[in-house]
Amino acid sequence: MRDCNGGRRRKEEGFCVESWQMEAEKYQMDLGNLMASDPTHHFESVPSSRFVTVILRPGSCSQGVSPGKFRLSEEELTRACLEKGTELVQAIANAVFALPSTDDRDGPIVRLPPPTTTLPREKHLLKPKPPTKWELFAKMKGIKKRKKDKRVFDEQTGTWKRRHGYDRVNDDKDIPIIEAKLSDGNEPGEDPFSKRKAEKKQRVEKQEKNRLQNLKQAAKAGALPSHVQLAATALPITGTHGEAPKKASKEELQNVAGMAATATASGGKFDKKLPGEKPAKHAGKYRKFLPVVEGKGMSSQEKQQTAKILDQLMSKSSHGMLDVNKAVTMFNVKKEKQRRKEKEHETSSAAIKLKPKKKSLKKSSKKKH
Amino acid sequence: MLKIKTPKTQRAKREFEKRAPKLVENGRKTLILHGTKTSDVLNTVLTQIYHLKRDNAVKYTKKNENIRPFESGGETSLEFFSLKTDCSLFVFGSHSKKRPNNLVLGRMFDHHIYDLVEVGVDNFRPMESFEYDKKLTPRIGSKPFFAFVGDGFESVEELKHLKEVLLDLFRGEVVENLNLAGIDHVFVCTALSSSTVFFTHCALQLKKSGTAIPRMELVEVGPSMDLVVRRHRLPNDSLKKEAMKTTTGQPKKKIKNVSSDVLQGKIGKIYIPDQKVGGIALSNDVKGLKRERREAKKTKAVGENEAKKRKTASK
């Protein structure tokens, strides 16, 4: 077994108490990080072939092994490293086990000292928040914060109500009647309830604006609270036209997607339907043709179609859009036809034979030849 | 026009609080990724580092072609990933003819690059190639020991930097209380030369020794490799100063019900709730009752005696 440190033997059975104390002084230990480093050990190496010459410094060397150069192979190198590592770890363990420990059900628990090696932080330190406008004002005026109760006594109903929230004290909507007074602020015809609502809305808007200003100041100082983010809603205005691009609604987007799909389909490329996409509201066809074969019942589509058109026309015509001349001629023609029919009927019944023979023009043409 | 955005759910709010800058910080998370070309060895190295740091590491599998940590424009992607995953340490692997098996270990401050160390990996032996008793396997999340051997870690700039970065990388959470039964593993780094470090991971076996302090034995377990330092970039002074700021000057948290008086010194207030005197259950073992019983016995005995006397008298 190799000795360490000026001839004190490290036996298999136990430790010499002083030896590990001396080791502790030799190594640099950071108990908080459970780290030990040995700055005195020196390896002098020769390139990457893993044959390393080790020079043992005379001070740290043991008795019985003379200082000199050793050529170590890979395994021996690892073994030497592990040995050194073991020593260091033993030194840390000695120090750690020596700390006062409390017994827990999982094992002894030891309070480690804070680490001595300073490592850089991950994020910046918190900067103090700049005081808000109200805080500055309150400080100037000497106004102190007063703790408010959650429950407040309401005189009107005579019960304890909460200060904020459902069924609260001094709620605007609880007022049933407002007297109509003719003072400078009130016009005679104005609704006082809506006026109160408008005032409240204004107050809330003002408060929001102030809050935004306070947060902007905090952001400038780098002390924005962790859960708040300030986001730009519109691009900064450059030039005279500062129109923010209108955000497309859901329906618009769906329509546009459908139109784009139709356009590309007409070019021959058919888009795949995504899993969440709903089918197009309006199918491709815009004209409805009647079926070729259909029954002749009451509900036949052709009949319905024609009836519909007729109704439309008739309803249109019933508003007085008549062609008077045409109507008159039609009426006259109809009457003439009727008279002629009546005449024929009369004469035909009386003497059919007395009628002169009608000369056919065709016969005369024949006679000439 | 600015708009105030606050998280709408409590869960989102808790996530923001976790990632916010604090006085006492959370442990560093590591981002492991690689560039367009990697070698077999490098892939194994990255996966094994990920396994060593399972709880607090994120491993990306895609190739990232626009990440070049040492160039001025090539770090924007890294910073973006660091912001999204809240990782302040990264391990970037790449392989090229000029720099074979290249690992860039880097740290971030406020999600901007703080410092970088570029190392080459030689003689890599994966975890599977070591044979050992499986009972000794170190658990994920146990606090490791560190052993740095060699004077190179004190004298050479690059090795000093590498030591710091390795410590940060494998340290885990900084804890106050340590369970001595949970001591599992140690990282041994030996400075072989002014540019090479032999890095290995061993499990600890605590053996019985005569005293209360157990004897440590190292059993090589984990990946072992030679790290050859190629390039490194230290942080510039102002950034370093900013990052090294400590919080010793900050006021401590107020302890409730404790006040200090000039005359009496430290005074504490204890609030005791009202005792419900009527509601306390009486025990059976009450002295008053005992006395009653005793007296009852006595009168009975007296009565008996008198009866006896009468009897004897009558006799």
Side-chain angles (χ1 to χ4, degrees):
Chain A
M1 238 348 227
R2 281 179 50 197
D3 299 345
C4 58
N5 274 340
R8 292 181 206 274
R9 285 198 176 277
R10 196 209 309 170
K11 292 175 188 167
E12 290 277 347
E13 302 86 55
F15 281 106
C16 237
V17 180
E18 289 106 358
S19 71
W20 62 257
Q21 270 179 345
M22 300 232 5
E23 277 178 22
E25 286 162 10
K26 187 173 85 170
Y27 303 138
Q28 286 170 356
M29 292 216 283
D30 179 2
L31 282 180
N33 282 327
L34 295 177
M35 180 179 87
S37 95
D38 177 14
T40 55
H41 199 105
H42 183 70
F43 274 119
E44 204 185 81
S45 82
V46 146
S48 50
S49 67
R50 280 303 211 104
F51 281 89
V52 174
T53 53
V54 176
I55 297 179
L56 294 171
R57 283 159 113 239
S60 69
C61 134
S62 55
Q63 282 180 356
V65 183
S66 57
K69 283 194 182 179
F70 293 87
R71 219 161 237 281
L72 298 176
S73 68
E74 189 172 327
E75 307 89 52
E76 284 176 19
L77 176 68
T78 46
R79 210 162 44 78
C81 294
L82 285 187
E83 243 181 71
K84 240 355 193 123
T86 320
E87 280 177 27
L88 286 169
V89 170
Q90 193 62 62
I92 311 175
N94 296 339
V96 167
F97 275 81
L99 292 170
S101 72
T102 55
D103 260 319
D104 201 25
R105 60 190 183 96
D106 294 325
I109 292 194
V110 150
R111 266 195 84 131
L112 289 175
T116 50
T117 36
T118 47
L119 290 167
R121 278 177 65 94
E122 173 180 43
K123 296 188 179 124
H124 60 268
L125 270 175
L126 285 171
K127 286 177 203 138
K129 212 172 70 152
T132 60
K133 277 183 82 178
W134 167 255
E135 280 173 4
L136 287 170
F137 178 77
K139 200 168 167 194
M140 187 182 70
K141 288 274 183 172
I143 304 170
K144 286 209 174 33
K145 264 200 221 182
R146 243 176 255 165
K147 181 124 186 176
K148 297 184 180 76
D149 295 323
K150 274 198 190 158
R151 298 219 163 251
V152 186
F153 189 72
D154 184 19
E155 266 90 26
Q156 211 186 34
T157 51
T159 52
W160 287 89
K161 285 193 178 174
R162 57 189 70 132
R163 188 183 289 270
H164 309 285
Y166 174 74
D167 191 28
R168 56 177 171 267
V169 158
N170 295 338
D171 197 359
D172 238 5
K173 64 183 183 199
D174 284 342
I175 306 172
I177 303 169
I178 303 178
E179 254 186 53
K181 279 181 262 177
L182 278 173
S183 53
D184 0 288
N186 316 341
E187 280 175 30
E190 170 183 53
D191 179 15
F193 294 102
S194 50
K195 187 174 167 200
R196 283 177 83 101
K197 252 192 176 176
E199 275 176 9
K200 174 152 186 172
K201 197 166 175 199
Q202 234 185 1
R203 271 182 277 137
V204 168
E205 264 175 30
K206 180 173 178 285
Q207 180 54 34
E208 275 301 310
K209 198 162 67 100
N210 288 347
R211 180 172 169 234
L212 183 62
Q213 286 301 321
N214 285 330
L215 283 173
K216 270 201 220 168
Q217 284 292 91
K220 214 161 74 166
L224 201 59
S226 59
H227 54 274
V228 175
Q229 283 174 317
L230 290 176
T233 49
L235 296 168
I237 298 171
T238 51
T240 48
H241 257 306
E243 232 185 56
K246 208 182 114 193
K247 225 180 174 182
S249 70
K250 196 166 150 187
E251 289 85 36
E252 273 179 44
L253 282 173
Q254 279 175 342
N255 289 343
V256 165
M259 280 195 264
T262 330
T264 51
S266 65
K269 179 123 171 123
F270 294 91
D271 286 334
K272 259 192 213 155
K273 219 167 192 56
L274 293 170
E277 220 181 309
K278 290 189 192 143
K281 273 199 186 148
H282 194 108
K285 291 182 181 293
Y286 285 84
R287 282 195 72 184
K288 186 182 175 194
F289 292 105
L290 296 171
V292 176
V293 178
E294 208 192 7
K296 264 199 233 174
M298 272 288 286
S299 58
S300 78
Q301 284 179 7
E302 192 176 339
K303 203 168 185 179
Q304 280 181 350
Q305 204 180 49
T306 42
K308 193 169 149 196
I309 297 170
L310 246 180
D311 283 336
Q312 282 176 349
L313 283 174
M314 294 312 283
S315 65
K316 277 189 184 169
S317 64
S318 67
H319 280 296
M321 309 254 270
L322 266 179
D323 189 0
V324 182
N325 294 328
K326 200 173 184 180
V328 165
T329 12
M330 276 174 78
F331 183 78
N332 285 340
V333 164
K334 224 181 180 178
K335 246 198 167 173
E336 283 275 328
K337 268 195 178 167
Q338 225 179 7
R339 230 182 283 144
R340 228 182 277 150
K341 244 190 181 171
E342 276 175 21
K343 257 192 182 172
E344 245 182 71
H345 217 71
E346 276 178 10
T347 50
S348 65
S349 62
I352 288 175
K353 285 175 184 176
L354 288 174
K355 252 189 181 176
K357 247 188 179 179
K358 278 186 186 169
K359 266 188 180 179
S360 62
L361 289 162
K362 274 184 182 178
K363 260 189 178 176
S364 61
S365 63
K366 255 187 183 177
K367 260 189 180 175
K368 270 182 186 172
H369 277 293
Chain B
M1 270 286 112
L2 288 174
K3 194 172 71 160
I4 303 171
K5 271 170 78 174
T6 47
K8 299 295 174 204
T9 55
Q10 287 296 326
R11 189 177 183 207
K13 188 170 178 198
R14 271 179 264 138
E15 283 299 318
F16 271 110
E17 311 264 282
K18 267 193 222 170
R19 295 186 178 197
K22 296 177 197 141
L23 228 53
V24 177
E25 293 185 314
N26 313 334
R28 281 186 190 254
K29 282 191 358 198
T30 314
L31 180 63
I32 302 175
L33 35 67
H34 58 266
T36 38
K37 195 164 169 218
T38 47
S39 59
D40 232 354
V41 167
L42 204 62
N43 283 334
T44 338
V45 170
L46 291 175
T47 40
Q48 302 234 323
I49 294 178
Y50 176 60
H51 286 319
L52 281 176
K53 296 193 49 125
R54 246 320 177 49
D55 275 342
N56 51 1
V58 178
K59 184 167 191 290
Y60 279 176
T61 45
K62 278 175 85 172
K63 295 185 187 176
N64 303 292
E65 60 174 14
N66 54 351
I67 294 185
R68 284 168 224 287
F70 278 90
E71 281 169 40
S72 66
E75 43 197 41
T76 46
S77 240
L78 267 177
E79 292 180 355
F80 176 71
F81 290 146
S82 151
L83 187 67
K84 283 295 165 178
T85 56
D86 193 32
C87 288
S88 56
L89 272 169
F90 68 88
V91 176
F92 176 74
S94 65
H95 179 77
S96 68
K97 217 167 179 186
K98 190 172 171 194
R99 297 175 221 275
N101 296 337
N102 202 27
L103 272 185
V104 180
L105 310 169
R107 291 188 284 190
M108 302 268 195
F109 177 71
D110 255 354
H111 302 295
H112 294 297
I113 290 200
Y114 178 73
D115 64 359
L116 302 162
V117 180
E118 190 175 48
V119 281
V121 175
D122 278 338
N123 297 323
F124 175 69
R125 286 186 63 194
M127 287 199 269
E128 291 81 26
S129 69
F130 291 97
E131 282 160 18
Y132 52 92
D133 185 12
K134 294 301 171 192
K135 286 189 216 148
L136 296 171
T137 330
R139 305 276 194 80
I140 293 174
S142 59
K143 194 148 171 73
F145 278 61
F146 285 93
F148 290 96
V149 180
D151 60 345
F153 284 119
E154 297 299 309
S155 54
V156 184
E157 257 306 311
E158 286 136 338
L159 293 192
K160 257 200 285 189
H161 195 189
L162 184 63
K163 176 180 174 188
E164 230 187 88
V165 173
L166 282 176
L167 183 65
D168 226 344
L169 190 60
F170 291 109
R171 178 164 71 145
E173 290 252 1
V174 180
V175 286
E176 243 186 41
N177 303 324
L178 178 73
N179 187 354
L180 293 177
I183 293 176
D184 256 354
H185 57 151
V186 60
F187 288 100
V188 180
C189 309
T190 333
L192 296 176
S193 74
S194 64
S195 65
T196 333
V197 170
F198 171 59
F199 173 85
T200 183
H201 176 225
C202 309
L204 281 179
Q205 218 179 359
L206 294 99
K207 291 231 165 118
K208 272 200 192 304
S209 74
T211 61
I213 302 167
R215 187 164 63 89
M216 299 286 179
E217 235 185 59
L218 265 63
V219 178
E220 251 198 303
V221 151
S224 84
M225 54 189 115
D226 278 355
L227 301 173
V228 180
V229 179
R230 287 180 185 149
R231 293 188 278 184
H232 77 131
R233 195 208 285 178
L234 288 168
N236 48 354
D237 281 328
S238 57
L239 196 57
K240 187 165 185 182
K241 218 170 77 164
E242 183 72 36
M244 290 298 212
K245 271 190 196 169
T246 49
T247 63
T248 46
Q250 309 277 358
K252 289 217 173 90
K253 248 187 159 180
K254 190 181 166 201
I255 311 170
K256 280 187 169 181
N257 297 325
V258 170
S259 61
S260 59
D261 197 11
V262 183
L263 293 171
Q264 291 168 315
K266 200 172 178 184
I267 311 174
K269 264 190 198 169
I270 304 175
Y271 293 92
I272 306 176
D274 289 335
Q275 280 185 314
K276 290 199 183 77
V277 183
I280 301 175
L282 293 168
S283 73
N284 294 328
D285 199 28
V286 178
K287 245 183 178 169
L289 274 178
K290 239 186 186 170
R291 200 185 301 142
E292 267 179 34
R293 258 189 245 142
R294 227 185 304 144
E295 282 180 353
K297 265 193 188 166
K298 221 196 257 177
T299 46
K300 208 167 96 182
V302 165
E304 272 180 19
N305 282 345
E306 282 188 346
K308 272 189 187 167
K309 273 186 189 166
R310 268 187 248 125
K311 271 188 185 170
T312 49
S314 62
K315 263 190 181 174

